[in-house]
């Protein structure tokens, strides 16, 4: 079902056209702001222009460690403009410290580092597309159901060295269980053997929002394929650096990592 408008958020200084916040907005770290302005208006986040569709809809996302406010400015074709500062709720994350590990478990050899860096560049490019809206305004569905074994934002510190935080939901499921596209979009990356994540698919849903599916045992899509919400794109697996079969599922707004728990329905199917 398409999203409907919430009441207008007006500036205190003026009755000029402002921003409508749409259902699904989560003003917190890991969340997504979904908004609408008058058609033809431009929107800026902290001075940087955001993609806006023909009806005035736009999105912007908040990273795990984003600051506690975001400033949005809108400019109408007739010269009217407005600005509003929105609060961004700060969160606490599970931090685990483990000391005494062999150095080989903490720092991989240079050849592996080179591969990791090259693959990270490909992933970054896949998430950088500024495409027209596809599934982004239709809501999201769970790609697979199962027990949640790891959540967004958690982090390990190994031998005093912070590792990259976990940026998704780990959903335990048996190898071979079908994985479905969380929303309609275009496949921007499909690779069966990335170093950390094994079988990996990234789907562009438009307006900078993408979903990522990791550790897959089978890929049923290729780069450039257009998929509809709910289409089977592959199967759960244990590929890459994992200890058991599961799907690590993620969302991004360009390079900002979003929390799937804030975008998905509360109940699994």
């Amino acid at each position: 079902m398409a999203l409907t408008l919430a009441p207008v958020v007006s500036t205190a200084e003026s009755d000029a056209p402002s921003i409508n916040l749409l259902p699904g907005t989560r003003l917190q770290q890991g969340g997504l702001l979904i908004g609408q302005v008058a058609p033809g208006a431009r929107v800026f986040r902290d001075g940087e222009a955001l993609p806006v569709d023909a009806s005035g809809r736009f999105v912007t996302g908040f990273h795990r460690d984003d600051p506690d406010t975001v400033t949005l400015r809108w400019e109408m074709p007739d010269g009217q403009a407005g600005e509003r500062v929105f609060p961004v709720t700060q969160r606490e994350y599970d931090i685990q410290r483990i000391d005494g590990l062999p150095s080989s478990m903490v720092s991989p050899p240079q050849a592996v580092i080179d591969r990791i860096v090259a693959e990270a560049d490909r992933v970054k490019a896949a998430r950088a597309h500024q495409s027209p809206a596809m599934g982004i305004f239709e809501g999201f569905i769970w790609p697979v159901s199962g027990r949640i074994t790891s959540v967004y934002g958690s982090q390990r510190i190994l031998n005093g060295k912070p590792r990259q935080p976990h940026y998704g939901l780990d959903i335990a499921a048996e190898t071979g269980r079908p994985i479905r596209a969380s929303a309609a979009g275009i496949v921007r990356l499909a690779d069966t053997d990335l170093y950390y994540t094994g079988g990996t698919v990234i789907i562009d849903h438009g307006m900078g929002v993408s979903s990522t599916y990791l550790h897959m045992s089978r890929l049923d899509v290729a780069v450039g394929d257009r998929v509809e919400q709910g289409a089977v794109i592959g199967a759960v697996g244990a590929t890459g650096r994992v200890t058991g079969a599961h799907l690590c599922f993620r969302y991004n707004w360009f390079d900002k990592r979003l929390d799937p728990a804030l975008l998905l329905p509360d109940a699994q199917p």
Side-chain angles (χ1 to χ4, degrees), residues 8-155:
V8 170
V9 177
S10 299
T11 62
E13 297 81 6
S14 170
D15 292 329
S18 183
I19 292 175
N20 298 328
L21 295 183
L22 303 184
T25 290
R26 297 290 183 269
L27 294 174
Q28 59 181 289
Q29 291 171 327
L32 193 67
L33 186 155
I34 309 172
Q36 187 166 24
V37 290
R42 298 193 298 163
V43 180
F44 301 83
R45 172 180 174 167
D46 298 325
E48 184 173 348
L50 300 179
V52 182
D53 75 2
S55 65
R57 295 178 300 181
F58 69 94
V59 299
T60 189
F62 307 112
H63 189 72
R64 174 185 185 270
D65 303 312
D66 268 1
D68 59 3
T69 62
V70 62
T71 300
L72 296 183
R73 177 179 175 80
W74 55 97
E75 297 179 356
M76 302 296 298
D78 64 3
Q80 290 189 85
E83 185 175 279
R84 186 175 177 88
V85 178
F86 291 92
V88 178
T89 300
Q90 306 292 281
R91 300 170 61 179
E92 294 184 2
Y93 305 101
D94 180 31
I95 307 297
Q96 183 181 18
R97 289 173 169 81
I98 303 175
D99 295 317
L101 294 173
S103 60
S104 61
M105 294 181 63
V106 178
S107 300
Q110 188 59 49
V112 172
I113 292 174
D114 292 343
R115 177 182 173 185
I116 291 168
V117 170
E119 292 176 352
D121 288 342
R122 292 177 58 204
V123 168
K124 183 177 180 180
R127 291 171 172 159
H129 289 268
Q130 187 168 306
S131 306
M134 289 174 277
I136 175 59
F137 296 120
E138 299 172 3
F140 299 97
I141 64 171
W142 286 80
V144 70
S145 59
R147 181 170 58 92
I148 304 301
T149 58
S150 185
V151 297
Y152 174 91
S154 57
Q155 185 180 30

Side-chain angles (χ1 to χ4, degrees), residues 161-212:
K161 297 181 179 180
R163 301 292 93 182
Q164 187 178 52
H166 189 251
Y167 287 122
L169 283 181
D170 283 352
I171 308 170
E174 71 278 5
T175 294
R177 183 182 294 185
I179 297 171
R180 300 182 182 278
S182 183
I186 296 174
V187 177
R188 298 299 187 186
L189 187 145
D191 195 303
T192 59
D193 187 29
L194 298 188
Y195 179 80
Y196 278 128
T197 60
T200 301
V201 169
I202 296 178
I203 301 176
D204 170 13
H205 304 297
M207 314 298 283
V209 176
S210 61
S211 58
T212 303

Side-chain angles (χ1 to χ4, degrees), residues 224-238:
D225 286 353
R226 187 177 184 106
V227 297
E228 297 302 321
Q229 185 179 66
V232 174
I233 61 171
V236 172

